Amino acid sequence: MTVDLNPRIRVREAVPADAEAITNIMMDGFSVDAMHQLIYPNDPSDDSRRKFASGIFTPIPPNQGEKLIMVAELLPEGSDGPGEIVAFSDWRLFRNPRAEEEWNIKEEPKTQEQLGEGCDVNVFNEFIGGLHRKRREHMKGDPGLVLGTLACQTSHQRLGAGKALLHWGTTLADKLNLPLFLESSPFGYNLYRRFGFEPIDVFDIPVYNLFGAVKRQGQNWGENSAVEFAGPLAKGCFRTAIMRRPAKSA
């Protein structure tokens, strides 16, 4: 596909000095997301922000892929000098197949100490743990590029930062002839479809039954995500679409 990119958006590899900006974008970008609001019912605390920031550049074991953190900067008008970080994406690259004992590993639940004060550990483990199980189920040990998180600062949306980060990822995957995988929030679904991702499954978490949460007016719980694939969303559930983009030669 032909992608019209904003020339004022520059994508580069993140460095540790970007951790605070990335954390702020993560917490701000997902602040309107219903599951994020359940995970941080009183907004992210300073402790939970520090815990998130400390894990961004922490090395991971080889069986968990290569960690690639990219940021999108908004450049000043008429300049290619220093820009403002307005979005980021977190990827995992698996260049080679993995044996089942490398990928089919039970994930240990996160603790309060790991997630920080004010984080609802039960919601986090039910939701994020469930998404990770879906990822293992569909990807298994196959090579591929996984988009873990893409977030944009709410005050700088619709400038093409998310599109530029996705273009970076799809370009890398096509260069390496790899499929891409992601778990789409309700807000990202249409953008991912435009980049060639198709739903292969859904994770409909029963929010009301598990947590007693009732949908607030105006919240998007994924009612319009993957309906053509999985049918209407059941009442009291929040839908995340599991999506795949085939390798270029497939």
Side-chain angles (χ1 to χ4, degrees):
M1 64 173 288
T2 301
V3 181
D4 184 19
L5 299 175
N6 183 344
R8 290 184 60 199
I9 298 293
R10 176 174 61 196
V11 173
R12 64 166 173 82
E13 185 175 359
V15 297
D18 300 324
E20 182 178 359
I22 290 172
T23 300
N24 291 338
I25 290 169
M26 173 68 184
M27 300 307 179
D28 173 63
F30 279 97
S31 61
V32 297
D33 182 88
M35 293 308 301
H36 181 92
Q37 292 168 0
L38 289 174
I39 291 172
Y40 299 106
N42 297 307
D43 294 331
S45 66
D46 289 344
D47 185 47
S48 61
R49 287 175 176 272
R50 284 193 296 270
K51 296 294 173 57
F52 179 85
S54 68
I56 296 172
F57 295 97
T58 301
I60 57 177
N63 69 311
Q64 295 182 21
E66 298 173 38
K67 182 187 287 191
L68 305 172
I69 312 294
M70 307 301 297
V71 294
E73 296 178 313
L74 177 64
L75 302 177
E77 191 76 49
S79 171
D80 61 354
E84 177 187 0
I85 298 174
V86 296
F88 84 97
S89 54
D90 177 0
W91 309 79
R92 297 293 181 274
L93 174 60
F94 300 91
R95 297 178 185 267
N96 301 303
R98 291 167 293 154
E100 184 169 358
E101 59 267 22
E102 293 182 284
W103 65 265
N104 193 13
I105 300 173
K106 182 179 179 181
E107 186 172 317
E108 291 298 322
K110 297 294 186 182
T111 66
Q112 196 76 65
E113 175 62 26
Q114 291 171 308
L115 297 175
E117 296 175 3
C119 177
D120 190 314
V121 176
N122 181 46
V123 177
F124 183 94
N125 286 320
E126 287 283 353
F127 181 57
I128 302 300
L131 292 178
H132 289 176
R133 287 192 297 273
K134 285 286 188 182
R135 183 184 300 177
R136 292 193 296 272
E137 175 185 336
H138 289 283
M139 190 174 184
K140 301 187 186 301
D142 295 339
L145 180 62
V146 180
L147 174 58
T149 305
L150 190 154
C152 182
Q153 197 171 41
T154 55
S155 60
H156 289 85
Q157 291 177 346
R158 302 190 182 279
L159 294 177
K163 184 190 297 184
L165 289 165
L166 270 179
H167 181 256
W168 177 90
T170 54
T171 300
L172 174 62
D174 288 347
K175 178 181 177 181
L176 299 176
N177 193 30
L178 293 174
L180 290 103
F181 298 85
L182 59 81
E183 300 88 34
S184 173
S185 73
F187 298 98
Y189 184 75
N190 290 330
L191 175 62
Y192 297 138
R193 287 297 302 269
R194 291 198 293 271
F195 270 80
F197 288 87
E198 295 290 340
I200 57 173
D201 200 353
V202 293
F203 180 50
D204 292 350
I205 185 168
V207 173
Y208 179 80
N209 289 340
L210 286 175
F211 315 121
V214 177
K215 184 180 178 182
R216 303 175 190 169
Q217 185 175 0
Q219 278 188 332
N220 185 345
W221 282 25
E223 294 88 351
N224 298 318
S225 295
V227 176
E228 73 287 358
F229 174 82
L233 179 64
K235 186 176 180 179
C237 290
F238 180 95
R239 173 169 290 178
T240 302
I242 315 304
M243 307 186 78
R244 181 181 186 273
R245 180 180 182 270
K248 189 174 183 180
S249 63

